[in-house]
Amino acid sequence: MSDASKTPVTVLTGYLGAGKTTLLNRILSEDHGKKYAVIVNEFGEIGIDNDLIVGADEEVFEMNNGCICCTVRGDLVRIISGLMRRKGKFDAIIVETTGLADPAPVAQTFFVDEDVQKNARLDAVVTVADAKWLSDRLKDAPEAKNQIAFADVIVLNKTDLVTKPELAEVEARIRAINPYARLHRTERCQVAISDVLERGAFDLDRILEIEPEFLNAGDDHDHHHHDHDHDHGHDHHHHDHGLKHYHDEDMQSLSLRSDKPLDPSKFMPWLQNLVQTEGGKILRSKGILSFQDDDDRYVFQGVHMMLEGDHQRKWKPDEARQSRVVFIGRELPEDAIREGFERCIVT
């Protein structure tokens, strides 16, 4: 099964009251010409307008724009298998997690069960965040921080309720935790559906679009920082992402790259061993890889100890064959990861 034939799955997460329901209601009622299967925790809780519901069997509700909705009363794997029997009736699946939930177990479902893996692929984790309250939540709620660290796409909602400086501050906090997510500023979750769904989000090309404004801005700052620090004998490697405002004590992100090809017989075992031993600390891992003597790009993504990867497509003639790997987590053994990666480069 190639990735292309698998149904893309979006995991939608976000703190209570951030605007997930608004976003879901839009997906389930707007005339966007796509059909989505939406898996929610509790149907009643979401407050979806009953007039939109066309027919309902026990667990599945059909909406008048063709989307279908079902509740996770049972096991997520079972529901997805059930949905797969309706394959062809929808374009993508959206799984909504409860406001307090850690998105990891939900995302992991798409790596664990063979049936699910054959038919579905994790497309993106989308986190809806509340511009007004996020900074407070990050101080008092570890789940909120996990949701940000975990995201491929962040919908920063209710931006109309904050001042420009407050917005800049909350964005800097987000970036300190996760420099790599696509960020959309919204009011009432007004974001193009295509910006949140079917992103192919672990395709790190998207990161390349973000990075220039981000990483390069920090270069001078970075060198400056190092000289300054060496006098005190500290070493601040965490400032690699060049964020001037916040360095999150708890979360780190690490980005590796190589212009030379990697040796697959070294890289794959290294990566598997790394997530087996350090997976508890690694929330997300992703990469685009250029292997020696291989004209196809290899892409992988992981959640904790679980990885999935595949050849994605041919490298384009005008494309730089660069390998890029990203890790986001807590207490990452950064030096060991860098050294391990270096050893996989073909010299």
Side-chain angles (χ1 to χ4, degrees):
M1 283 287 281
S2 76
D3 256 10
S5 56
K6 295 182 182 182
T7 304
V9 178
T10 303
V11 174
L12 182 61
T13 175
Y15 220 66
L16 301 164
K20 261 190 323 185
T21 306
T22 313
L23 186 56
L24 273 176
N25 269 318
R26 285 194 42 215
I27 292 164
L28 290 174
S29 60
E30 272 184 19
D31 189 10
H32 39 61
K34 291 270 192 181
K35 292 189 176 175
Y36 295 111
V38 180
I39 302 173
V40 294
N41 276 288
E42 267 312 319
F43 205 69
E45 225 176 78
I46 289 236
I48 284 167
D49 183 349
N50 274 335
D51 303 339
L52 297 172
I53 296 175
V54 185
D57 57 28
E58 200 246 325
E59 285 191 304
V60 178
F61 303 86
E62 197 159 330
M63 315 309 287
N64 61 10
N65 67 347
C67 293
I68 58 178
C69 209
C70 44
T71 53
V72 190
R73 285 202 199 117
D75 171 24
L76 187 56
V77 171
R78 184 177 59 75
I79 286 178
I80 289 162
S81 307
L83 282 175
M84 284 308 162
R85 290 197 284 279
R86 301 169 172 245
K87 213 174 153 110
K89 295 216 173 123
F90 49 85
D91 301 295
I93 298 175
I94 299 160
V95 185
E96 183 253 359
T97 64
T98 59
L100 295 168
D102 173 5
V106 176
Q108 282 174 321
T109 307
F110 299 95
F111 298 81
V112 187
D113 185 80
E114 263 176 62
D115 259 2
V116 170
Q117 236 191 338
K118 274 209 295 279
N119 293 302
R121 62 179 171 80
L122 181 61
D123 180 70
V125 176
V126 176
T127 298
V128 181
D130 179 329
K132 194 165 175 61
W133 292 107
L134 182 66
S135 295
D136 292 356
R137 287 294 80 77
L138 292 175
K139 294 188 192 86
D140 63 24
E143 307 86 15
K145 199 175 264 192
N146 273 353
Q147 289 171 357
I148 296 293
F150 222 82
D152 300 299
V153 177
I154 294 168
V155 176
L156 185 56
N157 194 29
K158 305 192 185 183
T159 52
D160 47 330
L161 304 182
V162 293
T163 62
K164 278 221 165 80
E166 285 172 325
L167 188 59
E169 168 166 342
V170 76
E171 286 191 17
R173 280 190 188 278
I174 288 172
R175 287 306 181 204
I177 296 167
N178 183 342
Y180 302 118
R182 284 306 280 274
L183 189 83
H184 297 285
R185 301 179 191 90
T186 60
E187 298 171 21
R188 291 176 292 286
C189 280
Q190 283 168 332
V191 60
I193 303 275
S194 59
D195 282 340
V196 258
L197 303 179
E198 299 174 67
R199 295 303 295 155
F202 75 114
D203 186 341
L204 290 181
D205 299 343
R206 309 221 186 272
I207 288 177
L208 297 172
E209 296 167 24
I210 298 167
E211 264 195 348
E213 53 181 287
F214 226 48
L215 296 190
N216 306 341
D219 282 354
D220 321 336
H221 161 78
D222 205 35
H223 298 151
H224 189 85
H225 215 95
H226 278 254
D227 305 338
H228 167 76
D229 276 337
H230 283 295
D231 314 337
H232 308 291
H234 309 298
D235 198 10
H236 275 274
H237 274 309
H238 313 306
H239 283 279
D240 276 3
H241 31 70
L243 292 173
K244 297 185 176 57
H245 311 295
Y246 290 100
H247 162 53
D248 193 88
E249 292 309 320
D250 185 36
M251 285 285 179
Q252 295 154 285
S253 55
L254 179 60
S255 166
L256 308 163
R257 69 178 82 202
S258 165
D259 292 318
K260 298 196 185 92
L262 303 177
D263 178 343
S265 68
K266 288 183 181 162
F267 181 85
M268 296 313 276
W270 170 73
L271 180 65
Q272 299 210 297
N273 180 54
L274 176 66
V275 298
Q276 284 313 308
T277 52
E278 303 290 349
K281 299 173 181 169
I282 300 169
L283 291 178
R284 293 295 298 272
S285 54
K286 335 178 178 188
I288 294 179
L289 308 169
S290 169
F291 285 137
Q292 188 177 26
D293 303 326
D294 187 344
D295 284 333
D296 284 355
R297 293 161 41 123
Y298 189 92
V299 291
F300 78 88
Q301 63 163 337
V303 171
H304 291 304
M305 277 85 170
M306 293 170 191
L307 289 170
E308 63 170 18
D310 213 343
H311 285 97
Q312 181 197 30
R313 59 167 172 82
K314 296 251 175 279
W315 286 99
K316 293 175 189 154
D318 56 344
E319 228 173 349
R321 294 195 181 191
Q322 195 186 54
S323 295
R324 302 288 313 277
V325 181
V326 169
F327 296 99
I328 294 178
R330 292 182 165 87
E331 298 168 35
L332 298 176
E334 294 195 25
D335 294 342
I337 293 175
R338 282 182 199 282
E339 283 157 24
F341 179 73
E342 296 289 320
R343 284 199 293 276
C344 301
I345 296 170
V346 175
T347 46

